[in-house]
Amino acid sequence: MSEDSFDEFVRVRAGALARTAFLLTGDPHHAEDLVQNALARAAVHWARLDDPEAYVRRVLYTQAVSWWRVQRRRRREVLVDAPPERAAAVRDPDLGILLGRALARLTRRQRAVLVLRFYEDRSESETAAILSVGLGTVKSQTRHALRRLRELAPELGTLMSDRVDREAAP
């Protein structure tokens, strides 16, 4: 692959990669750093990559997990009252704000599992492999994260059902 194809890849995929990184980190600045690091690693190996998208996303996930492990040793997680300025791209602004606040209050591992399982549409086994954890951990973290989301924002269910009803209406 050529340098031009790398430039095109960055131009086309940077936005989606940044959204994923933000969902993984909950911090726009760290997400930006994560994407830049992943793209820098991809640039070094660009000519040998069969699937650049998969490679870059794998680097995003593994670097996010490495960062979490370092942070866990340094300090405890701090809950915030409000989400960062920009939340993930969601069509319904109310749903986006509510979801952003609720996700910010989950643990990093729970947030990563939900992003991989539902935003990236990964299987449980793929999620376990990406995060280097057991399948049981993915299952339990998914269950705990969804229960916690229901506790933190019960109105998410109402907004989601209203949205489904609007989309289903002729």
Side-chain angles (χ1 to χ4, degrees):
M1 290 193 241
S2 70
E3 187 175 319
D4 290 339
S5 65
F6 177 74
D7 292 343
E8 180 65 21
F9 175 81
V10 171
R11 218 177 353 269
V12 171
R13 300 302 303 152
L17 294 170
R19 286 188 294 276
T20 298
F22 175 77
L23 289 171
L24 288 168
T25 64
D27 178 327
H29 303 294
H30 182 65
E32 204 173 285
D33 292 343
L34 201 60
V35 170
Q36 287 178 359
N37 184 39
L39 290 173
R41 288 176 181 233
V44 171
H45 303 290
W46 189 252
R48 298 186 310 240
L49 296 179
D50 293 330
D51 187 352
E53 178 86 14
Y55 179 85
V56 171
R57 287 185 180 278
R58 174 78 180 180
V59 171
L60 282 177
Y61 303 133
T62 57
Q63 290 297 304
V65 168
S66 294
W67 181 78
W68 298 334
R69 288 179 179 148
V70 168
Q71 294 303 311
R72 184 175 48 194
R73 282 185 227 124
R74 285 189 189 159
R75 63 179 167 81
R76 294 298 224 162
E77 181 174 347
V78 177
L79 298 177
V80 296
D81 291 329
E85 291 178 24
R86 288 182 12 191
V90 177
R91 290 184 189 151
D92 185 342
D94 294 335
L95 181 61
I97 291 168
L98 188 59
L99 184 58
R101 286 184 179 150
L103 285 172
R105 295 184 62 196
L106 295 177
T107 66
R108 291 180 175 110
R109 182 178 280 182
Q110 288 174 342
R111 195 168 38 235
V113 167
L114 290 183
V115 167
L116 289 167
R117 292 281 292 124
F118 302 108
Y119 183 76
E120 292 288 327
D121 199 25
R122 302 285 182 158
S123 69
E124 290 172 335
S125 57
E126 287 175 319
T127 301
I130 289 169
L131 296 177
S132 300
V133 298
L135 187 59
T137 300
V138 170
K139 290 178 179 184
S140 67
Q141 288 297 306
T142 302
R143 186 178 63 252
H144 294 305
L146 292 174
R147 186 190 72 234
R148 183 82 173 123
L149 281 178
R150 283 190 292 274
E151 291 169 359
L152 291 170
E155 52 280 3
L156 269 175
T158 304
L159 282 173
M160 287 301 295
S161 62
D162 291 348
R163 185 175 176 189
V164 168
D165 291 343
R166 282 195 311 268
E167 291 174 0

